Amino acid sequence: MTEDDYHRYIEAFNARDYAALETFFTDDFVLENAGFRVQGKPAFRAFYAFFHEYCREEVIFKGFYPGKDGFVSNVVIRFTGLKDLSPELLVQKGYEGMTPVPAGVSVDVEFLILYLLDERGKIRFIKGAVWVPAATEG
């Protein structure tokens, strides 16, 4: 996957074009983030159908760092709460590691995301790490 491909991936994600997004994935790819795991295209669609009912996400590109078996991206994801989402519902759905964003609130979170690719250049594994800046006194 090239940086240009990744920009197309971000465009598809921001447009909620899941069919286009899935063209970037292997059938059984794995997404690990916030303490939960989604495996395969059907689970991916089910997760985002659920999550995007409660929260809009906008990915803002900062950097693309290619490597031997994949790449790392640096992005800011703007989470905007659309409806209140309770921690209890997240646990019930199996996404207990997530932090809900209240309706009407927007939060920008910086991520470093590892993407591992198969031999065809398809995404087989995604794992996000949240950037937590050092505390400052002010």
Side-chain angles (χ1 to χ4, degrees):
M1 179 178 281
T2 67
E3 185 173 335
D4 287 341
D5 294 330
Y6 189 64
H7 283 284
R8 286 191 292 282
Y9 173 88
I10 290 172
E11 287 171 18
F13 186 90
N14 287 342
R16 309 297 170 260
D17 186 347
Y18 303 116
L21 272 175
E22 288 180 358
T23 66
F24 292 96
F25 301 137
T26 63
D27 289 339
D28 62 347
F29 85 100
V30 172
L31 165 65
E32 288 185 358
N33 198 14
F36 68 90
R37 178 183 176 103
V38 172
Q39 183 165 1
K41 292 177 181 180
F44 169 82
R45 277 195 186 239
F47 168 71
Y48 278 109
F50 163 75
F51 186 61
H52 285 160
E53 180 181 336
Y54 292 90
C55 189
R56 182 169 33 107
E57 291 180 271
E58 177 188 4
V59 177
I60 303 161
F61 177 81
K62 291 187 76 175
F64 179 89
Y65 308 96
K68 181 178 149 196
D69 298 322
F71 63 95
V72 171
S73 69
N74 180 206
V75 299
V76 170
I77 301 179
R78 179 166 296 140
F79 297 93
T80 302
L82 301 173
K83 295 184 344 187
D84 285 330
L85 176 57
S86 71
E88 295 79 18
L89 182 55
L90 287 169
V91 168
Q92 178 186 352
K93 293 286 192 176
Y95 309 128
E96 57 271 357
M98 298 180 70
T99 302
V101 177
V105 173
S106 288
V107 177
D108 287 358
V109 180
E110 187 168 1
F111 284 83
L112 295 174
I113 305 175
L114 170 65
Y115 295 85
L116 297 179
L117 306 175
D118 74 358
E119 62 282 349
R120 300 167 298 154
K122 299 274 187 183
I123 297 168
R124 64 177 178 83
F125 182 81
I126 304 170
K127 185 167 191 162
V130 177
W131 176 262
V132 179
T136 58
E137 295 186 29

